[in-house]
Amino acid sequence: MEHAQTTADRAYTQDRSVWIGEWHTHPSSRPVPSAQDTATYRQLLDDPELAFHSFIAVILSPRTSHWHMTAWACRNDVITRVPVHTLPEQVGYQ
């Protein structure tokens, strides 16, 4: 928790970025929440230290020549797929 907060604070100081969720990959399956993912999402929402009322989860899975990405809004016991819009330019992080 401390490391995540330090990272989020640093990003906010640099360019006002805020942490709105998490992402991970499903290298050998579709980019939909697994049973383990949904259990993790419930734990995050139930954690009083985090005090989340909702968050966005992004899952990526490889395709032949590109990555497929889906986003999921997590609130209470409901996980809903939401649209993802990407910018054409690449953004670099340090």
Side-chain angles (χ1 to χ4, degrees):
M1 184 69 184
E2 185 178 328
H3 173 72
Q5 187 63 56
T6 300
T7 301
D9 291 345
R10 186 178 313 120
Y12 184 80
T13 299
Q14 287 177 346
D15 62 11
R16 300 294 190 239
S17 294
V18 294
W19 179 42
I20 60 168
E22 61 95 16
W23 70 272
H24 65 280
T25 62
H26 283 192
S28 60
S29 66
R30 296 179 9 212
V32 298
S34 66
Q36 181 177 348
D37 292 335
T38 58
T40 299
Y41 301 162
R42 285 190 183 99
Q43 286 177 341
L44 292 171
L45 289 168
D46 291 342
D47 188 325
E49 185 179 0
L50 295 174
F52 289 153
H53 62 82
S54 62
F55 68 92
I56 301 294
V58 177
I59 304 174
L60 296 105
S61 65
R63 296 293 185 251
T64 304
S65 62
H66 66 282
W67 285 86
H68 183 74
M69 176 174 47
T70 59
W72 305 87
C74 305
R75 183 182 181 105
N76 301 324
D77 285 335
V78 179
I79 300 171
T80 308
R81 185 173 177 172
V82 294
V84 177
H85 303 281
T86 58
L87 300 174
E89 59 271 1
Q90 292 181 338
V91 178
Y93 294 96
Q94 298 178 4

